[in-house]
Amino acid sequence: MKKNIITSLMASVMLLATACQTNPVTGKKDVMFMSESQEIALGKEADPQIVAQFGLYEDPNLQRFINEKGQQMAQISHRNNLNYEFKIVDSPVINAFAVPGGYVYFTRGIMAHFNNEAQFAGVLGHEIGHITARHSAQQQSKSILAQGGLLLGMILSPTVAQYGQEVSQGLGLLMLKYGRDAERESDRLGVEYSTKIGYDAKEMADFFTTLQRKQEESGQALPSFLSSHPDPGDRYTTVNQLAAEEKKKQNLTNAQINRNSYLKMIDGLIYGEDPKQGFVENSVFYHPVLKFQYTMPTNWGYQNSPQQVQMGPKDGSAVMILTLAPGANLQEAAQQAMQRYQLQPTESKQVTVNGLPALAVVADPQQQQQQQQQQQQPLRTLTYFIQHGENIYSLMGITTVPNFNSYFQVFSGSMQSFRELSDPDKLNRQPERIKIVTVSQGTSLAQALRNNKVPDARMNELAVLNGMELNDQVQAGTMIKVIGK
């Protein structure tokens, strides 16, 4: 027994020794169970799933801009050997994130809230910093991605809400939470990298203020690169100090901000939800392109992406997910879904939903999945597979077995409301867009917005969007953002 213990200890020491790798930024040894080649492979595997999840924003000029600045910054980074890719994804959420191996994504929502190139460059450097310092790889060394059977692969989450959140992100990569030390290091690298390519890094500190105001305005969770981070006030002060030091260190006498060139570039950018991807009004979800609608459960929140719509109550006790279901017919679609999510049907019934053929299926996780839940309460699902035109839609409701009976009517009521969309007003709905206007005479931001017919109810929203206060004075010739069709 003693020999076995010694052998085991030696094996553990050898494993740790092989897992210790030199951090490219700090030069110190880090425990890392992922090689650089594995990092790159993980990024290559994740990228098409992320693009499929959100879709790329269709603006060649903006895509070219992020790629040019990203490649320029990557070359002066601590890991310029990687083949970096930079993309703007079609999501209104204000976020930016990186995955191992050199993949960086900005949403159109965050692009709308930058007010100059320097703010953009600071956040770009911050995300590249997560890659160069191997923060995302370190996180993945601690948390292995669920690959097959993603939906029910996340049942170890303590609540259905967390479980549903993981599903909504497609990959856990998008919701990586970095520690405070990692965030401080990425802030420092964001300052260093953006300064090295000629930008005024203190603008990044101003953007953190915009993010904080946006969070306070909406009451929504902070984006991943701001949540669980150092205190925003301390962070603002620290980044300003780092920016001044870095500018002096690099002898940068003419740091770029480039406000007007950036604003001109985002003129016409879609702002908020794009109706063609689906939108909600009075608890009804409408999809003008696919021409369907259904009623969401009362007081449920939702998250929409090109691949799916996820809905749930605030207490996280249930989740409902709408997706397209592959299959030549309803039975084949149901069978594939059961296999994919490792579900065992307990009841199945052919039904009609507002004239559309459908199949209703009650199913539980397979025995292996149930065993994986350990101490968690077992789950149960109700899924309606609905044929509409050439598509089959899956509406899956998920909750715990004890809650299933109480949620059954909620699930089925929403699913049975699915119908063809024919209202011309909803079918022809156009998105809001950023419009850049030039102030004709010196005045307050509030007055400038009123002059451009911004309603009072949206004044604070537009102030945050412009990175200003309503009582700030704007000079004649200043460009500002307003919202139009």
Side-chain angles (χ1 to χ4, degrees), residues 221-240:
L222 292 168
S224 62
F225 61 88
L226 194 61
S227 60
S228 301
H229 286 193
D231 175 79
D234 293 343
R235 198 176 191 190
Y236 176 88
T237 303
T238 301
V239 170
N240 264 306

Side-chain angles (χ1 to χ4, degrees), residues 47 56-57 59-76 82-89 102-106 111 117 120-121 124-125 128 197 199 262 265:
D47 176 64
L56 293 179
Y57 183 62
D59 186 322
N61 289 332
L62 275 180
Q63 296 289 359
R64 184 165 48 248
F65 172 74
I66 191 173
N67 185 59
E68 287 177 355
K69 296 301 177 183
Q71 298 299 342
Q72 184 182 0
M73 197 174 285
Q75 286 305 305
I76 54 87
L82 296 176
N83 292 320
Y84 288 83
E85 293 193 21
F86 302 89
K87 299 171 183 178
I88 299 172
V89 293
Y103 294 82
V104 176
Y105 308 87
F106 279 41
M111 298 298 289
E117 287 186 23
F120 161 85
L124 182 66
I128 292 176
I197 66 169
Y199 286 104
Y262 183 81
M265 188 167 52

Side-chain angles (χ1 to χ4, degrees), residues 14 74 106 185 216 241 306:
M14 289 176 67
F106 279 41
E185 185 170 40
E216 291 168 355
Q241 183 179 343

Side-chain angles (χ1 to χ4, degrees), residues 151-352:
L151 181 62
L152 291 176
M154 307 311 295
I155 54 180
L156 297 180
S157 300
T159 67
V160 177
Q162 288 174 310
Y163 158 93
Q165 184 183 60
E166 296 288 354
V167 175
S168 76
Q169 297 303 330
L171 287 173
L173 285 167
L174 306 192
M175 297 301 289
L176 288 178
K177 301 295 187 206
Y178 303 111
R180 288 173 180 250
D181 289 344
E183 291 303 340
R184 289 191 182 98
E185 185 170 40
S186 276
D187 282 352
R188 181 182 62 77
L189 291 169
V191 168
E192 178 184 339
Y193 295 161
S194 59
T195 304
K196 278 186 175 178
I197 66 169
Y199 286 104
D200 190 342
K202 71 177 177 60
E203 292 293 321
M204 180 168 65
D206 292 336
F207 184 66
F208 289 150
T209 301
T210 293
L211 288 175
Q212 186 68 16
R213 289 175 65 197
K214 187 67 182 178
Q215 189 267 339
E216 291 168 355
E217 169 200 279
S218 64
Q220 295 174 350
L222 292 168
S224 62
F225 61 88
L226 194 61
S227 60
S228 301
H229 286 193
D231 175 79
D234 293 343
R235 198 176 191 190
Y236 176 88
T237 303
T238 301
V239 170
N240 264 306
Q241 183 179 343
L242 287 170
E245 292 171 355
E246 193 67 34
K247 190 185 295 186
K248 184 176 181 181
K249 177 182 175 182
Q250 296 186 30
N251 195 27
L252 183 63
T253 55
N254 189 26
Q256 299 176 65
I257 293 177
N258 297 353
R259 173 181 164 81
N260 286 358
S261 60
Y262 183 81
L263 293 179
K264 288 177 183 177
M265 188 167 52
I266 64 167
D267 191 15
L269 179 71
I270 292 177
Y271 176 74
E273 287 188 336
D274 185 350
K276 74 177 184 182
Q277 295 177 356
F279 62 97
V280 174
E281 270 186 7
N282 300 320
S283 296
V284 179
F285 181 88
Y286 300 97
H287 203 298
V289 175
L290 298 176
K291 297 182 180 179
F292 70 80
Q293 68 179 73
Y294 68 91
T295 302
M296 292 171 48
T298 305
N299 296 323
W300 276 30
Y302 74 99
Q303 184 179 47
N304 184 22
S305 75
Q307 277 199 332
Q308 64 183 12
V309 184
Q310 177 197 317
M311 301 144 276
K314 291 180 180 178
D315 65 5
S317 56
V319 67
M320 195 161 71
I321 300 166
L322 168 72
T323 60
L324 282 170
N329 52 54
L330 291 171
Q331 287 72 22
E332 187 177 309
Q335 185 179 22
Q336 288 190 31
M338 296 300 107
Q339 290 175 350
R340 179 185 176 191
Y341 302 136
Q342 300 178 38
L343 290 168
Q344 182 64 47
T346 60
E347 186 180 349
S348 180
K349 183 172 66 171
Q350 288 188 326
V351 295
T352 300

